[in-house]
Amino acid sequence: MIQQQTIYNFIYNGKRAVFVTFFLLSFAFVTVALDFLFSKFHNTSFYLSESVLFSTFWLLFFPLISFQIKLIELSKKLAVYFLITAVVIILHLLFYPAMIWFLSKIFYDHTFLYRQTFNYGFTHYFITSVIIYSFSMAVIFIYKSKNLKPVSIADEAHLENTAVVTTLIVSDANNNKIVIPTNDVMYFSASSPYINIHLESKKYLQKRTLKYLEGQLNSTQFLRVHKSCIINMHKVISYKSRLNGDYDITLSDNTQLRLSRNYLKAFKSAMEGNHGVT
């Protein structure tokens, strides 16, 4: 199965994190600059420290958008997206005056009252908050729709089989290179540092590991049944319990192999998938 990158990593990973941080800091800087220009044009006092303090409104977007993304990742309904976005907007408007009160209490001579700052933030930034968090929600929704849509059974089977090995190159007794279809293989067994490739009437050696080979083969056809054995499920004609948790598998050439209890569940699932067993 193809692993998808989470939305959080999509937006906040690597260079994107630097971009988002720069974007928010730029807005904070613009806010301070606009305060300065406003004071110049209206001939009012400008206090840099207070302007910087109130511009921290923009810095709250980074953690709260992160929080918004994490919650939306866990949900599947569009209505829940809107609810989460509304909650985050409310949290932003509530946290902002609390942060101003806390910072001014510690670092400033004058402490700004919570209610006073809340009214200021609601009046000046409510629409801005709605626009930014709604845009964030829209980006997340589009990304989920395009990249995290469910894969159909047919598509999944196609994806699983596009990179599988269908032939193997082996050497015979005269060191001739021979191409054999994997469909002709009965089973593979480990013989470190080699593996044995068992056909119905022949056997070949190849220098690789079962673990490597397992990742190259069609997982719906070839299945590990023991730590030292992978079988061709299309060659199985019967299996029988040993009454100790393990089983004996019989292949079409009457070869009997041991099925370890550790692989029993996967084996039965594969049998049901290949033969419609219920």
Side-chain angles (χ1 to χ4, degrees):
M1 182 179 292
I2 296 178
Q3 297 180 345
Q4 295 287 355
Q5 188 181 34
T6 63
I7 304 174
Y8 180 82
N9 287 336
F10 169 74
I11 295 180
Y12 285 101
N13 190 31
K15 294 181 179 179
R16 296 186 184 95
V18 176
F19 173 78
V20 172
T21 303
F22 176 78
F23 180 79
L24 295 175
L25 289 175
S26 296
F27 269 101
F29 175 79
V30 169
T31 301
V32 174
L34 290 175
D35 285 346
F36 175 76
L37 293 175
F38 181 86
S39 65
K40 285 295 183 182
F41 282 112
H42 292 83
N43 198 26
T44 58
S45 301
F46 171 73
Y47 300 97
L48 178 62
S49 59
E50 291 187 7
S51 182
V52 170
L53 176 65
F54 280 86
S55 68
T56 54
F57 171 86
W58 296 100
L59 302 183
L60 279 174
F61 279 109
F62 196 92
L64 287 175
I65 288 178
S66 170
F67 179 64
Q68 178 192 25
I69 291 169
K70 287 183 177 180
L71 291 180
I72 289 180
E73 277 190 297
L74 301 176
S75 60
K76 297 181 180 180
K77 295 182 179 179
L78 184 60
V80 179
Y81 295 0
F82 283 100
L83 178 61
I84 292 171
T85 301
V87 169
V88 173
I89 292 172
I90 293 172
L91 289 176
H92 196 140
L93 294 174
L94 292 175
F95 286 164
Y96 175 59
M99 182 174 64
I100 295 298
W101 174 86
F102 178 76
L103 293 175
S104 62
K105 181 85 172 174
I106 297 177
F107 300 107
Y108 290 77
D109 296 331
H110 171 70
T111 302
F112 292 94
L113 299 177
Y114 181 92
R115 185 173 180 178
Q116 176 187 3
T117 309
F118 176 82
N119 292 335
Y120 170 82
F122 186 85
T123 303
H124 287 77
Y125 293 124
F126 175 74
I127 300 299
T128 301
S129 300
V130 171
I131 292 174
I132 292 179
Y133 285 113
S134 298
F135 178 76
S136 173
M137 180 190 70
V139 171
I140 299 167
F141 175 75
I142 294 172
Y143 180 74
K144 286 189 73 173
S145 300
K146 290 186 176 181
N147 296 279
L148 301 180
K149 61 182 180 181
V151 181
S152 67
I153 295 176
D155 290 340
E156 187 172 302
H158 172 72
L159 290 171
E160 286 181 352
N161 291 318
T162 51
V164 300
V165 171
T166 56
T167 58
L168 297 170
I169 299 177
V170 297
S171 300
D172 63 10
N174 298 318
N175 206 29
N176 295 317
K177 302 298 181 182
I178 302 173
V179 177
I180 58 172
T182 55
N183 287 334
D184 293 345
V185 176
M186 306 296 294
Y187 66 100
F188 301 91
S189 62
S191 181
S192 184
Y194 301 94
I195 59 170
N196 295 306
I197 304 173
H198 300 265
L199 277 62
E200 189 167 347
S201 58
K202 295 180 180 180
K203 182 174 73 172
Y204 298 98
L205 279 177
Q206 206 172 60
K207 192 171 184 180
R208 60 177 64 183
T209 64
L210 281 183
K211 183 177 181 181
Y212 172 82
L213 187 64
E214 190 176 16
Q216 305 296 308
L217 296 170
N218 185 343
S219 61
T220 61
Q221 181 180 358
F222 291 91
L223 185 72
R224 187 185 286 262
V225 295
H226 191 271
K227 64 180 180 179
S228 60
C229 184
I230 296 175
I231 66 169
N232 185 344
M233 292 297 296
H234 295 173
K235 304 295 184 180
V236 176
I237 59 173
S238 68
Y239 63 101
K240 181 180 179 181
S241 175
R242 288 187 172 188
L243 303 179
N244 65 350
D246 292 347
Y247 280 70
D248 286 322
I249 300 172
T250 302
L251 303 183
S252 58
D253 64 347
N254 292 321
T255 298
Q256 282 197 340
L257 300 170
R258 177 186 169 190
L259 167 61
S260 171
R261 70 196 73 184
N262 297 328
Y263 301 95
L264 178 60
K265 184 177 180 180
F267 175 82
K268 287 186 174 181
S269 178
M271 287 293 287
E272 291 176 6
N274 287 328
H275 304 291
V277 179
T278 57

